[in-house]
Amino acid sequence: MSQNVREALLTLLAGRSGPVVQMGFGLHAGRAVQGTIGWQPKIDATYVSEPVEWAEFLESSTKKYGLQMLMSDSFHRLLHPNSRRR
């Protein structure tokens, strides 16, 4: 990384409020099919199903609404009653 790029990045981050790393979580429950993609040197697991797409949608919506976590009713119903209240 060139010095100019590094300085520009540090300047950008210095003016930002809050933490540099922000994470959002989309929680949904349902069935999925696991498969592998790639080849021998690099094989990754992937999951495919409508519930996986819902979890991805919820995760992306955390950015839109400025939240750290969104969960579906399917996930919420699986929680212990004490956890649901929180």
Coordinates of all heavy atoms in Angstrom, one line a residue:
M1 N 0.9 -1.2 0.0 CA 0.0 0.0 0.0 C 0.9 1.2 0.0 O 1.8 1.4 0.8 CB -0.9 0.0 1.2 CG -1.8 1.1 1.3 SD -2.9 1.2 2.8 CE -3.7 -0.3 2.8
S2 N 0.7 2.1 -0.9 CA 1.5 3.3 -1.0 C 1.2 4.2 0.2 O 0.1 4.2 0.8 CB 1.2 4.1 -2.3 OG 0.0 4.7 -2.3
Q3 N 2.1 5.1 0.5 CA 2.0 6.0 1.6 C 0.8 6.9 1.5 O 0.1 7.2 2.4 CB 3.3 6.8 1.8 CG 3.4 7.6 3.1 CD 3.3 6.8 4.3 OE1 3.7 5.6 4.4 NE2 2.9 7.4 5.4
N4 N 0.6 7.4 0.2 CA -0.5 8.3 0.0 C -1.9 7.7 0.3 O -2.8 8.3 0.8 CB -0.5 8.9 -1.4 CG 0.7 9.8 -1.7 OD1 1.2 10.4 -0.7 ND2 1.1 10.0 -2.9
V5 N -2.0 6.4 -0.2 CA -3.2 5.7 0.0 C -3.4 5.4 1.5 O -4.6 5.6 2.0 CB -3.2 4.4 -0.8 CG1 -4.4 3.5 -0.4 CG2 -3.2 4.6 -2.3
R6 N -2.4 5.1 2.2 CA -2.5 4.8 3.6 C -2.9 6.1 4.4 O -3.8 6.0 5.2 CB -1.1 4.3 4.1 CG -1.1 3.9 5.6 CD 0.3 3.4 6.0 NE 0.3 2.8 7.3 CZ 0.3 3.5 8.4 NH1 0.4 4.8 8.4 NH2 0.3 2.9 9.6
E7 N -2.3 7.2 4.0 CA -2.6 8.5 4.7 C -4.1 8.9 4.4 O -4.8 9.3 5.3 CB -1.7 9.6 4.2 CG -0.3 9.4 4.8 CD 0.7 10.4 4.3 OE1 0.3 11.4 3.5 OE2 1.9 10.3 4.5
A8 N -4.5 8.7 3.2 CA -5.9 9.0 2.8 C -6.9 8.1 3.6 O -7.9 8.6 4.1 CB -6.1 8.8 1.3
L9 N -6.6 6.8 3.8 CA -7.4 5.9 4.5 C -7.5 6.3 6.0 O -8.5 6.4 6.6 CB -6.9 4.5 4.4 CG -7.7 3.4 5.2 CD1 -9.2 3.4 4.7 CD2 -7.0 2.1 5.0
L10 N -6.3 6.7 6.6 CA -6.3 7.1 8.0 C -7.1 8.4 8.2 O -7.8 8.5 9.2 CB -4.8 7.2 8.4 CG -4.1 5.9 8.6 CD1 -2.6 6.2 8.9 CD2 -4.7 5.0 9.6
T11 N -7.0 9.3 7.2 CA -7.7 10.5 7.3 C -9.2 10.3 7.3 O -10.0 10.8 8.0 CB -7.4 11.5 6.2 OG1 -5.9 11.8 6.2 CG2 -8.1 12.8 6.2
L12 N -9.7 9.4 6.4 CA -11.1 9.0 6.2 C -11.6 8.4 7.5 O -12.6 8.7 8.0 CB -11.2 8.1 5.1 CG -12.6 7.5 4.8 CD1 -13.6 8.6 4.4 CD2 -12.6 6.4 3.8
L13 N -10.8 7.5 8.1 CA -11.2 6.8 9.3 C -11.2 7.7 10.5 O -12.0 7.5 11.4 CB -10.3 5.5 9.5 CG -10.4 4.4 8.5 CD1 -9.5 3.3 8.8 CD2 -11.9 3.9 8.4
A14 N -10.3 8.7 10.6 CA -10.2 9.6 11.7 C -11.5 10.4 11.8 O -11.9 10.7 12.9 CB -9.0 10.5 11.6
G15 N -12.1 10.7 10.7 CA -13.3 11.5 10.7 C -14.6 10.7 10.9 O -15.7 11.3 11.0
R16 N -14.5 9.4 11.1 CA -15.7 8.6 11.2 C -16.0 8.4 12.7 O -15.1 8.1 13.5 CB -15.3 7.2 10.6 CG -16.4 6.2 10.6 CD -16.0 4.9 10.0 NE -17.0 4.0 10.2 CZ -17.3 3.0 9.4 NH1 -16.7 3.0 8.2 NH2 -18.3 2.2 9.6
S17 N -17.3 8.5 13.0 CA -17.7 8.2 14.4 C -18.0 6.8 14.5 O -18.4 6.1 13.6 CB -18.9 9.1 14.7 OG -20.0 8.7 13.9
G18 N -17.8 6.3 15.7 CA -18.1 4.9 16.0 C -16.9 4.0 15.6 O -15.9 4.4 15.2
P19 N -17.1 2.7 15.8 CA -16.1 1.7 15.5 C -15.8 1.6 14.0 O -16.7 1.8 13.2 CB -16.6 0.4 16.1 CG -18.1 0.6 16.1 CD -18.3 2.1 16.3
V20 N -14.6 1.2 13.7 CA -14.2 1.1 12.3 C -14.9 -0.2 11.7 O -15.3 -0.1 10.6 CB -12.6 1.0 12.2 CG1 -12.2 0.7 10.8 CG2 -12.0 2.2 12.6
V21 N -14.9 -1.2 12.5 CA -15.6 -2.5 12.0 C -17.0 -2.5 12.6 O -17.2 -2.4 13.8 CB -14.8 -3.7 12.5 CG1 -15.5 -5.0 12.1 CG2 -13.4 -3.7 11.9
Q22 N -17.9 -2.7 11.7 CA -19.3 -2.8 12.1 C -19.9 -4.1 11.5 O -19.6 -4.4 10.3 CB -20.2 -1.6 11.7 CG -19.7 -0.3 12.3 CD -20.5 0.8 11.8 OE1 -21.2 0.8 10.8 NE2 -20.4 1.9 12.5
M23 N -20.6 -4.9 12.3 CA -21.2 -6.1 11.8 C -22.7 -6.2 12.0 O -23.2 -5.6 13.0 CB -20.5 -7.3 12.6 CG -19.0 -7.4 12.3 SD -18.2 -8.7 13.3 CE -19.1 -10.1 12.8
G24 N -23.4 -6.8 11.1 CA -24.8 -6.9 11.2 C -25.1 -8.4 11.1 O -24.4 -9.2 10.4
F25 N -26.2 -8.9 11.8 CA -26.5 -10.3 11.8 C -28.0 -10.4 11.4 O -28.9 -9.7 11.9 CB -26.3 -10.9 13.2 CG -24.9 -10.8 13.6 CD1 -24.4 -9.7 14.3 CD2 -24.0 -11.9 13.3 CE1 -23.1 -9.7 14.7 CE2 -22.7 -11.8 13.7 CZ -22.2 -10.8 14.4
G26 N -28.3 -11.3 10.4 CA -29.6 -11.7 10.1 C -29.9 -13.1 10.5 O -29.2 -14.0 10.1
L27 N -30.9 -13.3 11.4 CA -31.1 -14.6 12.0 C -32.5 -15.1 11.5 O -33.5 -14.5 11.7 CB -31.1 -14.5 13.5 CG -29.9 -13.8 14.1 CD1 -30.1 -13.6 15.6 CD2 -28.7 -14.7 13.8
H28 N -32.5 -16.3 10.9 CA -33.7 -16.9 10.4 C -33.5 -18.4 10.6 O -32.3 -18.9 10.7 CB -33.9 -16.6 9.0 CG -35.1 -17.2 8.4 ND1 -36.4 -16.8 8.8 CD2 -35.4 -18.1 7.5 CE1 -37.3 -17.4 8.1 NE2 -36.7 -18.3 7.3
A29 N -34.5 -19.2 10.7 CA -34.5 -20.6 10.9 C -35.2 -21.3 9.8 O -36.2 -20.9 9.4 CB -35.1 -21.0 12.3
G30 N -34.6 -22.4 9.4 CA -35.2 -23.2 8.3 C -34.3 -24.3 7.8 O -33.1 -24.4 8.3
R31 N -34.7 -25.0 6.8 CA -33.9 -26.1 6.3 C -33.0 -25.5 5.1 O -33.4 -24.6 4.4 CB -34.8 -27.2 5.7 CG -35.5 -27.9 6.8 CD -36.4 -29.0 6.2 NE -37.1 -29.7 7.3 CZ -36.7 -30.9 7.8 NH1 -35.6 -31.5 7.3 NH2 -37.4 -31.5 8.7
A32 N -31.9 -26.2 4.9 CA -31.0 -25.8 3.9 C -30.2 -27.0 3.3 O -30.1 -28.0 4.0 CB -30.0 -24.7 4.3
V33 N -29.7 -26.9 2.1 CA -28.9 -27.9 1.5 C -27.5 -27.4 1.5 O -27.2 -26.3 1.1 CB -29.4 -28.3 0.1 CG1 -28.5 -29.2 -0.6 CG2 -30.8 -28.7 0.1
Q34 N -26.6 -28.3 2.0 CA -25.2 -27.9 2.0 C -24.5 -28.6 0.8 O -24.8 -29.7 0.5 CB -24.5 -28.4 3.3 CG -23.0 -28.1 3.3 CD -22.3 -28.7 4.6 OE1 -22.9 -29.4 5.4 NE2 -21.1 -28.3 4.7
G35 N -23.6 -27.8 0.2 CA -22.9 -28.3 -0.9 C -21.5 -27.7 -0.9 O -21.2 -26.9 -0.1
T36 N -20.6 -28.2 -1.8 CA -19.3 -27.7 -1.9 C -19.1 -27.0 -3.2 O -19.6 -27.5 -4.2 CB -18.2 -28.8 -1.7 OG1 -18.4 -29.8 -2.6 CG2 -18.3 -29.4 -0.3
I37 N -18.2 -26.0 -3.2 CA -17.8 -25.4 -4.5 C -16.3 -25.2 -4.4 O -15.7 -25.2 -3.4 CB -18.5 -24.0 -4.7 CG1 -18.2 -23.1 -3.5 CG2 -20.0 -24.1 -4.9 CD1 -18.7 -21.6 -3.7
G38 N -15.7 -25.2 -5.6 CA -14.3 -25.0 -5.7 C -13.6 -26.3 -6.2 O -14.3 -27.2 -6.8
W39 N -12.3 -26.4 -6.0 CA -11.6 -27.6 -6.5 C -10.6 -27.9 -5.4 O -10.5 -27.2 -4.3 CB -10.9 -27.3 -7.8 CG -9.9 -26.3 -7.8 CD1 -8.5 -26.4 -7.7 CD2 -10.1 -24.9 -7.9 NE1 -7.9 -25.2 -7.7 CE2 -8.8 -24.2 -7.8 CE3 -11.2 -24.0 -8.1 CZ2 -8.6 -22.9 -7.9 CZ3 -11.0 -22.7 -8.2 CH2 -9.8 -22.1 -8.1
Q40 N -9.8 -28.9 -5.6 CA -9.0 -29.5 -4.5 C -8.2 -28.5 -3.7 O -8.2 -28.6 -2.5 CB -8.1 -30.6 -5.1 CG -7.5 -31.5 -4.1 CD -8.5 -32.3 -3.3 OE1 -9.6 -32.6 -3.8 NE2 -8.2 -32.6 -2.1
P41 N -7.5 -27.6 -4.3 CA -6.7 -26.7 -3.4 C -7.6 -25.8 -2.5 O -7.2 -25.3 -1.4 CB -5.9 -25.8 -4.3 CG -6.0 -26.5 -5.7 CD -7.2 -27.3 -5.7
K42 N -8.8 -25.5 -3.0 CA -9.7 -24.6 -2.2 C -11.1 -25.0 -2.4 O -11.7 -24.8 -3.4 CB -9.5 -23.1 -2.8 CG -10.4 -22.1 -2.2 CD -9.9 -21.7 -0.8 CE -10.6 -20.5 -0.4 NZ -11.3 -20.6 0.8
I43 N -11.6 -25.6 -1.3 CA -13.0 -26.1 -1.4 C -13.8 -25.4 -0.3 O -13.3 -25.3 0.9 CB -13.1 -27.6 -1.2 CG1 -12.4 -28.3 -2.3 CG2 -14.6 -28.1 -1.0 CD1 -12.4 -29.8 -2.2
D44 N -14.9 -24.8 -0.6 CA -15.7 -24.0 0.4 C -17.1 -24.7 0.5 O -17.6 -25.2 -0.5 CB -15.9 -22.6 -0.1 CG -14.6 -21.8 0.0 OD1 -13.9 -21.9 1.1 OD2 -14.3 -21.0 -0.9
A45 N -17.7 -24.6 1.7 CA -19.1 -25.0 1.8 C -20.0 -23.9 1.5 O -19.7 -22.7 1.7 CB -19.3 -25.4 3.3
T46 N -21.1 -24.2 0.9 CA -22.2 -23.3 0.6 C -23.5 -23.8 1.0 O -23.7 -25.1 1.1 CB -22.2 -22.9 -0.9 OG1 -23.1 -21.8 -1.0 CG2 -22.6 -24.0 -1.8
Y47 N -24.4 -23.0 1.3 CA -25.8 -23.4 1.8 C -26.8 -22.7 0.9 O -26.7 -21.6 0.6 CB -26.0 -23.0 3.2 CG -25.0 -23.6 4.1 CD1 -23.8 -23.0 4.4 CD2 -25.2 -24.9 4.7 CE1 -22.8 -23.6 5.2 CE2 -24.3 -25.5 5.5 CZ -23.1 -24.8 5.8 OH -22.1 -25.4 6.5
V48 N -27.8 -23.5 0.4 CA -28.8 -23.0 -0.5 C -30.2 -23.4 -0.1 O -30.4 -24.5 0.3 CB -28.5 -23.7 -1.9 CG1 -29.5 -23.2 -2.9 CG2 -27.1 -23.5 -2.4
S49 N -31.0 -22.4 0.0 CA -32.4 -22.5 0.3 C -33.1 -21.2 0.5 O -32.4 -20.2 0.6 CB -32.6 -23.4 1.6 OG -32.3 -22.6 2.7
E50 N -34.4 -21.2 0.5 CA -35.1 -19.9 0.7 C -34.8 -19.4 2.1 O -34.6 -18.1 2.2 CB -36.6 -20.1 0.6 CG -37.4 -18.8 0.6 CD -38.8 -19.0 0.2 OE1 -39.2 -20.0 -0.4 OE2 -39.6 -18.1 0.7
P51 N -34.7 -20.2 3.2 CA -34.4 -19.6 4.5 C -33.0 -19.0 4.5 O -32.8 -18.0 5.2 CB -34.4 -20.8 5.4 CG -35.4 -21.7 4.8 CD -35.2 -21.6 3.3
V52 N -32.0 -19.5 3.7 CA -30.7 -18.8 3.6 C -30.9 -17.5 3.0 O -30.3 -16.5 3.4 CB -29.7 -19.7 2.9 CG1 -28.4 -19.0 2.6 CG2 -29.5 -21.0 3.6
E53 N -31.7 -17.4 2.0 CA -31.9 -16.1 1.3 C -32.6 -15.1 2.3 O -32.2 -13.9 2.3 CB -32.8 -16.3 0.1 CG -32.0 -17.0 -1.0 CD -32.9 -17.2 -2.3 OE1 -33.8 -16.4 -2.5 OE2 -32.6 -18.1 -3.0
W54 N -33.5 -15.6 3.1 CA -34.1 -14.7 4.1 C -33.1 -14.2 5.1 O -33.1 -13.0 5.5 CB -35.3 -15.4 4.8 CG -36.6 -15.3 4.1 CD1 -37.2 -16.3 3.4 CD2 -37.4 -14.1 4.0 NE1 -38.4 -15.8 2.9 CE2 -38.5 -14.4 3.3 CE3 -37.2 -12.8 4.5 CZ2 -39.5 -13.5 2.9 CZ3 -38.2 -11.9 4.2 CH2 -39.3 -12.2 3.4
A55 N -32.2 -15.1 5.6 CA -31.2 -14.6 6.5 C -30.3 -13.6 5.9 O -29.9 -12.6 6.5 CB -30.3 -15.8 7.0
E56 N -29.9 -13.8 4.6 CA -29.1 -12.8 3.9 C -29.8 -11.5 3.7 O -29.3 -10.4 3.9 CB -28.7 -13.3 2.5 CG -27.7 -14.5 2.6 CD -27.4 -15.1 1.3 OE1 -28.1 -14.8 0.3 OE2 -26.5 -16.0 1.2
F57 N -31.1 -11.5 3.5 CA -31.9 -10.3 3.3 C -32.0 -9.6 4.7 O -31.9 -8.3 4.7 CB -33.4 -10.7 2.9 CG -34.3 -9.5 2.9 CD1 -34.2 -8.5 2.0 CD2 -35.2 -9.4 3.9 CE1 -35.1 -7.4 2.0 CE2 -36.1 -8.3 4.0 CZ -36.0 -7.3 3.0
L58 N -32.2 -10.3 5.8 CA -32.2 -9.7 7.1 C -30.9 -9.0 7.4 O -30.8 -7.9 7.9 CB -32.6 -10.7 8.2 CG -34.1 -11.2 8.1 CD1 -34.2 -12.4 9.0 CD2 -35.0 -10.1 8.5
E59 N -29.8 -9.7 7.1 CA -28.5 -9.1 7.3 C -28.3 -7.9 6.5 O -27.8 -6.9 7.1 CB -27.4 -10.2 7.0 CG -26.0 -9.7 7.3 CD -25.3 -8.9 6.3 OE1 -25.6 -9.1 5.1 OE2 -24.5 -8.0 6.6
S60 N -28.6 -7.9 5.3 CA -28.5 -6.7 4.5 C -29.4 -5.5 5.0 O -29.0 -4.3 4.8 CB -28.7 -6.9 3.0 OG -30.0 -7.3 2.7
S61 N -30.5 -5.9 5.5 CA -31.4 -4.8 6.0 C -30.9 -4.2 7.3 O -31.3 -3.1 7.6 CB -32.8 -5.5 6.3 OG -33.4 -5.9 5.1
T62 N -30.0 -4.8 8.0 CA -29.4 -4.2 9.2 C -28.7 -2.9 8.8 O -28.7 -1.9 9.6 CB -28.4 -5.1 10.0 OG1 -27.3 -5.4 9.1 CG2 -29.1 -6.3 10.5
K63 N -28.1 -2.8 7.6 CA -27.4 -1.6 7.2 C -28.4 -0.5 6.8 O -28.2 0.6 7.2 CB -26.6 -2.0 5.9 CG -25.4 -2.9 6.2 CD -24.8 -3.4 4.9 CE -23.8 -4.5 5.0 NZ -24.4 -5.7 5.5
K64 N -29.5 -0.9 6.2 CA -30.5 0.0 5.8 C -31.1 0.7 7.0 O -31.4 1.9 7.0 CB -31.6 -0.7 5.0 CG -32.7 0.2 4.5 CD -33.7 -0.6 3.7 CE -34.9 0.3 3.3 NZ -35.9 -0.5 2.5
Y65 N -31.4 -0.1 8.1 CA -32.1 0.5 9.2 C -31.1 0.9 10.4 O -31.5 1.3 11.4 CB -33.1 -0.5 9.8 CG -34.2 -0.8 8.8 CD1 -34.3 -2.0 8.1 CD2 -35.1 0.2 8.5 CE1 -35.3 -2.2 7.1 CE2 -36.1 0.0 7.6 CZ -36.2 -1.1 6.9 OH -37.2 -1.3 6.0
G66 N -29.8 0.7 10.2 CA -28.8 1.0 11.2 C -28.9 0.2 12.4 O -28.7 0.7 13.5
L67 N -29.2 -1.1 12.3 CA -29.3 -2.0 13.4 C -28.1 -3.0 13.4 O -27.5 -3.2 12.3 CB -30.6 -2.8 13.3 CG -31.9 -1.9 13.4 CD1 -33.1 -2.7 13.1 CD2 -32.0 -1.2 14.7
Q68 N -27.9 -3.6 14.5 CA -26.9 -4.7 14.6 C -27.4 -6.1 14.3 O -26.7 -7.0 13.9 CB -26.2 -4.6 15.9 CG -25.4 -3.4 16.2 CD -24.8 -3.4 17.5 OE1 -25.1 -4.1 18.4 NE2 -23.8 -2.5 17.7
M69 N -28.7 -6.2 14.5 CA -29.3 -7.6 14.4 C -30.8 -7.5 14.0 O -31.5 -6.6 14.6 CB -29.1 -8.4 15.7 CG -29.7 -9.8 15.6 SD -29.4 -10.7 17.1 CE -30.2 -9.8 18.4
L70 N -31.2 -8.3 13.1 CA -32.6 -8.5 12.8 C -32.9 -10.0 12.8 O -32.1 -10.8 12.4 CB -33.0 -7.9 11.4 CG -33.1 -6.4 11.3 CD1 -33.2 -6.1 9.8 CD2 -34.2 -5.9 12.1
M71 N -34.0 -10.4 13.4 CA -34.4 -11.8 13.4 C -35.8 -12.0 12.9 O -36.7 -11.1 13.1 CB -34.2 -12.4 14.8 CG -35.2 -12.0 15.8 SD -35.0 -12.8 17.4 CE -33.5 -12.0 18.0
S72 N -36.1 -13.1 12.3 CA -37.4 -13.4 11.8 C -38.2 -14.0 12.9 O -37.7 -14.4 14.0 CB -37.3 -14.4 10.6 OG -36.8 -15.7 11.1
D73 N -39.5 -14.1 12.7 CA -40.4 -14.7 13.7 C -40.1 -16.2 13.8 O -40.2 -16.8 14.9 CB -41.9 -14.5 13.3 CG -42.3 -15.1 12.0 OD1 -41.4 -15.2 11.1 OD2 -43.4 -15.6 11.8
S74 N -39.6 -16.9 12.7 CA -39.2 -18.3 12.8 C -38.1 -18.5 13.8 O -38.1 -19.5 14.5 CB -38.8 -18.8 11.4 OG -39.9 -18.7 10.5
F75 N -37.2 -17.6 13.8 CA -36.0 -17.7 14.7 C -36.5 -17.3 16.1 O -36.1 -18.0 17.1 CB -34.9 -16.8 14.2 CG -33.7 -16.9 15.1 CD1 -32.7 -17.9 14.8 CD2 -33.5 -16.1 16.2 CE1 -31.6 -18.0 15.6 CE2 -32.3 -16.2 17.0 CZ -31.4 -17.2 16.7
H76 N -37.3 -16.3 16.2 CA -37.7 -15.8 17.5 C -38.5 -16.9 18.3 O -38.4 -17.0 19.5 CB -38.6 -14.5 17.3 CG -39.0 -13.9 18.6 ND1 -40.2 -14.0 19.1 CD2 -38.3 -13.0 19.4 CE1 -40.3 -13.3 20.2 NE2 -39.2 -12.7 20.4
R77 N -39.3 -17.6 17.6 CA -40.1 -18.7 18.2 C -39.3 -19.8 18.8 O -39.7 -20.5 19.7 CB -41.1 -19.3 17.2 CG -42.4 -18.4 17.1 CD -43.4 -19.0 16.2 NE -43.2 -18.4 14.8 CZ -43.2 -19.0 13.7 NH1 -43.5 -20.3 13.7 NH2 -43.0 -18.4 12.6
L78 N -38.1 -20.0 18.3 CA -37.2 -21.0 18.8 C -36.5 -20.6 20.1 O -35.9 -21.5 20.8 CB -36.1 -21.4 17.7 CG -36.6 -22.0 16.4 CD1 -35.5 -22.1 15.4 CD2 -37.3 -23.3 16.7
L79 N -36.5 -19.4 20.4 CA -35.8 -18.9 21.6 C -36.6 -19.3 22.9 O -37.8 -19.4 22.9 CB -35.7 -17.4 21.6 CG -34.8 -16.8 20.5 CD1 -34.9 -15.2 20.5 CD2 -33.4 -17.2 20.6
H80 N -35.8 -19.5 24.0 CA -36.4 -19.7 25.3 C -37.3 -18.5 25.6 O -36.9 -17.3 25.3 CB -35.3 -19.9 26.3 CG -35.8 -20.3 27.6 ND1 -36.2 -19.4 28.6 CD2 -35.9 -21.6 28.2 CE1 -36.6 -20.1 29.6 NE2 -36.4 -21.4 29.4
P81 N -38.4 -18.7 26.3 CA -39.2 -17.5 26.7 C -38.5 -16.4 27.4 O -38.8 -15.2 27.1 CB -40.3 -18.1 27.6 CG -40.4 -19.6 27.1 CD -39.0 -19.9 26.7
N82 N -37.6 -16.7 28.2 CA -36.8 -15.6 28.9 C -36.0 -14.8 27.9 O -35.8 -13.6 28.0 CB -35.9 -16.2 30.0 CG -36.7 -16.7 31.2 OD1 -37.8 -16.4 31.4 ND2 -36.1 -17.6 31.9
S83 N -35.5 -15.5 26.9 CA -34.7 -14.8 25.9 C -35.5 -14.0 24.9 O -35.1 -12.9 24.4 CB -33.8 -15.8 25.1 OG -32.9 -16.4 25.9
R84 N -36.7 -14.4 24.7 CA -37.7 -13.7 23.8 C -38.0 -12.3 24.4 O -38.1 -11.4 23.6 CB -39.0 -14.5 23.7 CG -38.9 -15.7 22.8 CD -40.3 -16.3 22.7 NE -40.1 -17.7 22.2 CZ -41.1 -18.5 22.3 NH1 -42.3 -18.2 22.7 NH2 -40.9 -19.7 21.9
R85 N -38.1 -12.2 25.7 CA -38.5 -10.9 26.2 C -37.4 -9.9 26.0 O -37.6 -8.7 25.9 CB -38.8 -11.1 27.7 CG -40.1 -11.7 28.0 CD -40.6 -11.6 29.4 NE -39.7 -12.3 30.3 CZ -39.9 -13.5 30.7 NH1 -40.9 -14.2 30.3 NH2 -39.0 -14.1 31.6
R86 N -36.1 -10.4 26.1 CA -35.0 -9.4 25.9 C -34.9 -9.0 24.4 O -34.5 -8.0 24.1 CB -33.7 -10.1 26.3 CG -33.5 -10.2 27.8 CD -32.2 -10.7 28.1 NE -32.3 -12.0 28.6 CZ -31.4 -13.0 28.5 NH1 -30.3 -12.8 27.8 NH2 -31.6 -14.2 29.0

